[in-house]
């Protein structure tokens, strides 16, 4: 992996990282319209493409190595762009290696368990990238802004005291540390939207019939609690950005920039993991060499014994060209209604 390429295509996210231990005031510290000096959307889209390419390669290695897993936690206010971020950032990766879990109002079964239970059940396996569309952080956000949610959680009286939020921060930090110690890296992205941009996006959801389903009058009631959410986000960022799982505050007013940032943070994390394809033992390689000979002996008359090796050997390009041409002509014959057998 070209480390230089990774560095160049990810260094712009550095100012978005919440320094562990620092005290965040969202309104003062992070500008939702920030673009890292990138003027043209075209350049941002290019940056995203570079990130998506790198991700695809890293994800193949992550899956093959089967040792580390990655959990991406996506948080934002309504209309912050979580769905679009997932769609774009994951556009190049193998769907087999990615799982998305969305979290809504907890079910009766979920409320019958400790608050982290439903999140723990949806964690990625080793080799996978798991995305939480909303995450365990709702437990210190919507639950904090609307305390009736806490009342529904059936906690014993001693666990409902005024220290409940400080305790949850600690429990979440401990849980994430435990995951990290055991091979699961956590990427925490907060899509930071301005109040004005939210207003515009809400209106679009009302104006465009195909987007009406995305809008709920409840979203407007949440918007009325804007300041409370800003405060809850600020406290969450201050208390839970840790050396093992730092937060990134992603400026979200420009969707293209938010997506490029999200991809870059993920690429950085994977670069740090540096997943490698497993190397097989000398004994297995000897075994493979034996099997190769057997397969080569099965080549039909006139066929290349090992077309892949031939095309990759020095000076083998011409042969590879022939091989591909043969493939095309078969397809062409099929199209023309002729014999499509593999060995004419
Ligand atoms: P959406 O993501 O638009 O489908 O909405 C999901 C809704 O579920 C949001 O209004 C969240 O605030 C709400 N939600 C998510 N997690 C929780 C939770 N732990 N407790 C209460 N409400 C939640
Ligand atoms: Mg919604």
């Amino acid at each position: 992996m070209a480390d230089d390429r990774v560095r160049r295509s990810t260094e712009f996210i550095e100012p978005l990282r919440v320094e562990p231990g620092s005290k965040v005031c969202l309104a003062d510290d992070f500008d939702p319209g920030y673009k890292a000096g990138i003027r043209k959307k075209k350049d941002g889209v290019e940056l995203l493409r570079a990130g998506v390419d790198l991700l695809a390669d890293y994800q193949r290695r992550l899956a093959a190595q089967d040792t580390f897993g990655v959990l991406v936690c996506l948080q934002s206010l309504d209309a912050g762009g979580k769905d679009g971020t997932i769609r774009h950032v994951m556009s190049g990766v193998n769907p087999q290696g990615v799982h998305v879990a969305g979290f809504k109002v907890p079910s009766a079964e979920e409320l019958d368990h400790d608050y982290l239970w439903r999140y723990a059940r949806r964690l990625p396996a080793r080799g996978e990238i798991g995305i939480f569309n909303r995450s365990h952080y709702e437990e210190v956000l919507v639950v904090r802004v609307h305390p009736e949610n806490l009342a529904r959680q059936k906690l014993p009286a001693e666990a409902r005291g005024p220290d409940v939020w400080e305790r949850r921060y600690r429990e979440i930090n401990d849980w994430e540390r435990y995951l990290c110690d055991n091979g699961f890296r956590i990427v925490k992205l907060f899509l930071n939207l301005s109040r004005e941009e939210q207003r515009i996006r809400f209106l679009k959801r009302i104006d465009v019939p195909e987007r009406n389903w995305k809008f709920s009058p409840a979203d407007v009631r949440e918007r009325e609690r804007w300041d409370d959410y800003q405060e809850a986000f600020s406290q969450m960022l201050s208390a839970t950005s840790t050396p093992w799982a730092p937060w990134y505050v992603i400026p979200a007013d420009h969707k293209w920039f938010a997506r490029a940032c999200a991809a870059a943070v993920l690429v950085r994390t994977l670069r740090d993991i540096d997943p490698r394809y497993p190397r097989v033992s000398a004994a297995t390689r000897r075994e493979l060499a034996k099997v190769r000979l057997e397969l080569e002996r099965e080549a039909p008359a006139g066929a290349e014994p090992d077309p892949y090796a031939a095309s990759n050997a020095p000076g083998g390009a011409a042969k590879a060209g022939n091989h591909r041409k043969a493939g095309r002509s078969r397809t062409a014959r099929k199209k023309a209604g002729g014999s499509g057998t593999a060995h004419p």
Side-chain angles (χ1 to χ4, degrees):
M1 181 71 53
D3 209 51
D4 205 38
R5 196 172 145 219
V6 175
R7 195 178 41 74
R8 260 186 291 113
S9 56
T10 61
E11 60 192 1
F12 69 100
I13 57 168
E14 213 45 59
L16 313 179
R17 186 172 182 272
V18 177
E19 202 46 51
S22 65
K23 187 160 169 32
V24 175
C25 172
L26 209 43
D28 296 343
D29 301 339
F30 293 97
D31 172 12
Y34 179 73
K35 291 192 278 183
I38 304 169
R39 287 213 188 83
K40 295 198 192 108
K41 177 174 172 178
K42 189 171 93 352
D43 296 334
V45 172
E46 195 48 53
L47 212 52
L48 170 64
R49 244 229 327 264
V52 168
D53 280 357
L54 288 165
L55 262 185
D57 185 38
Y58 274 130
Q59 190 238 346
R60 281 193 290 272
R61 293 158 185 266
L62 186 80
Q65 191 184 38
D66 203 19
T67 302
F68 294 94
V70 177
L71 171 66
V72 182
C73 298
L74 263 182
Q75 288 294 151
S76 78
L77 284 164
D78 289 312
K82 296 189 296 296
D83 297 346
T85 299
I86 296 171
R87 201 168 60 243
H88 281 82
V89 173
M90 291 299 153
S91 59
V93 304
N94 180 347
Q96 287 211 85
V98 182
H99 293 280
V100 183
F103 295 99
K104 300 184 185 279
V105 178
S107 68
E109 189 194 15
E110 288 167 345
L111 290 170
D112 244 353
H113 291 266
D114 64 279
Y115 73 95
L116 288 178
W117 180 76
R118 67 173 183 158
Y119 308 99
R121 296 176 88 204
R122 311 292 298 275
L123 285 172
R126 299 190 193 283
E128 288 180 350
I129 299 176
I131 302 173
F132 280 2
N133 185 347
R134 299 186 189 269
S135 68
H136 47 292
Y137 283 99
E138 291 295 339
E139 303 296 336
V140 293
L141 292 167
V142 67
V143 179
R144 184 170 195 177
V145 173
H146 298 282
E148 61 273 23
N149 287 309
L150 190 68
R152 273 199 287 272
Q153 292 190 352
K154 308 210 273 185
L155 292 163
E158 59 271 27
R160 266 186 269 135
D163 64 337
V164 59
W165 310 116
E166 284 306 321
R167 215 188 59 230
R168 284 194 173 191
Y169 294 145
R170 173 175 54 75
E171 288 160 352
I172 287 171
N173 288 341
D174 289 347
W175 187 56
E176 291 179 354
R177 179 158 203 164
Y178 155 81
L179 290 172
C180 189
D181 285 347
N182 287 280
F184 295 90
R185 297 292 176 266
I186 303 172
V187 174
K188 302 192 296 201
L189 307 176
F190 167 55
L191 302 179
N192 185 29
L193 188 71
S194 71
R195 195 169 155 80
E196 174 55 7
E197 182 62 21
Q198 190 193 52
R199 187 182 74 89
I200 294 168
R201 291 187 191 174
F202 277 179
L203 281 169
K204 189 164 177 186
R205 289 180 177 185
I206 294 169
D207 293 338
V208 181
E210 290 77 15
R211 289 185 189 235
N212 286 171
W213 67 274
K214 274 212 150 194
F215 188 73
S216 141
D219 294 347
V220 177
R221 284 198 295 279
E222 289 303 276
R223 179 175 164 80
E224 284 163 10
R225 305 294 302 273
W226 183 272
D227 292 341
D228 297 330
Y229 272 107
Q230 295 289 302
E231 180 57 28
F233 276 118
S234 297
Q235 292 207 24
M236 173 201 82
L237 293 165
S238 308
T240 61
S241 198
T242 54
W244 54 92
W247 272 104
Y248 285 82
V249 177
I250 309 286
D253 277 7
H254 303 283
K255 287 180 179 175
W256 56 267
F257 186 66
R259 290 163 186 169
C261 291
V265 177
L266 204 43
V267 165
R268 265 292 173 98
T269 305
L270 281 153
R271 183 205 59 181
D272 292 345
I273 295 175
D274 192 20
R276 306 283 175 108
Y277 290 111
R279 288 187 64 82
V280 298
S281 66
T284 307
R285 278 203 303 280
R286 279 196 297 275
E287 188 66 23
L288 292 176
K290 246 168 63 193
V291 176
R292 174 200 276 133
L293 279 178
E294 285 164 26
L295 289 170
E296 285 180 348
R297 269 190 230 112
E298 286 177 26
E304 189 67 66
D306 183 343
Y308 180 81
S311 65
N312 285 280
K319 280 179 186 164
N322 286 340
H323 174 61
R324 279 199 289 274
K325 238 185 256 158
R328 256 205 311 276
S329 67
R330 275 201 293 277
T331 317
R333 273 200 303 282
K334 233 183 201 169
K335 274 192 183 147
S339 156
T341 52
H343 301 292

